[in-house]
Amino acid sequence: KKNVLNSVISSISYLCSNNLYRTQIIDSPILLLVKKAMIDFPDYSPLQNCSCAILAYLASTNQQNRIKLMNLNFLPIILQIITNYQSNESALGNACSFLSYIANSD
């Protein structure tokens, strides 16, 4: 199950790298899937890395996205990743990027 979820989340992460798809993704139930996967597989670093990348891309877009992500309660998950993935530069970098966008919100 986690490999399939990782493939889906990896594909979503790739889509999020293109600003054209971010509006569709932020307004879809996909984020609930991402959140559930992050909670269900906290020790699976490829999934956590791609999930953090999705959140960072979405948070970088605008204040409305940051509010939506905060309302979906992603912050505790991100803080846990920062704690647990200190030796994984990619996951840590994406988690910190998300945190930075949230911290610099209006």
Side-chain angles (χ1 to χ4, degrees):
K1 181 176 176 178
K2 71 180 177 183
N3 290 331
V4 172
L5 276 173
N6 187 55
S7 294
V8 170
I9 288 173
S10 178
S11 298
I12 296 165
S13 175
Y14 181 75
L15 287 173
C16 281
S17 68
N18 185 329
N19 198 34
L20 296 173
Y21 298 109
R22 291 182 196 165
T23 301
Q24 293 171 330
I25 291 168
I26 195 77
D27 290 331
S28 77
I30 286 285
L31 288 178
L32 298 177
L33 172 71
V34 172
K35 183 177 179 182
K36 181 166 176 27
M38 293 176 84
I39 292 168
D40 289 350
F41 301 104
D43 298 325
Y44 191 51
S45 62
L47 185 143
Q48 297 298 332
N49 180 40
C50 288
S51 297
C52 289
I54 290 168
L55 299 177
Y57 280 130
L58 294 174
S60 73
T61 305
N62 59 45
Q63 180 69 10
Q64 182 181 357
N65 285 7
R66 291 187 285 274
I67 291 168
K68 185 172 276 191
L69 294 169
M70 291 302 290
N71 287 340
L72 288 171
N73 206 28
F74 276 103
L75 184 58
I77 299 168
I78 291 295
L79 294 175
Q80 191 66 41
I81 289 168
I82 290 170
T83 301
N84 294 344
Y85 284 90
Q86 292 182 14
S87 62
N88 183 321
E89 289 182 25
S90 188
L92 184 61
N94 286 323
C96 287
S97 290
F98 171 81
L99 194 58
S100 175
Y101 289 119
I102 296 300
N104 290 314
S105 295
D106 294 337

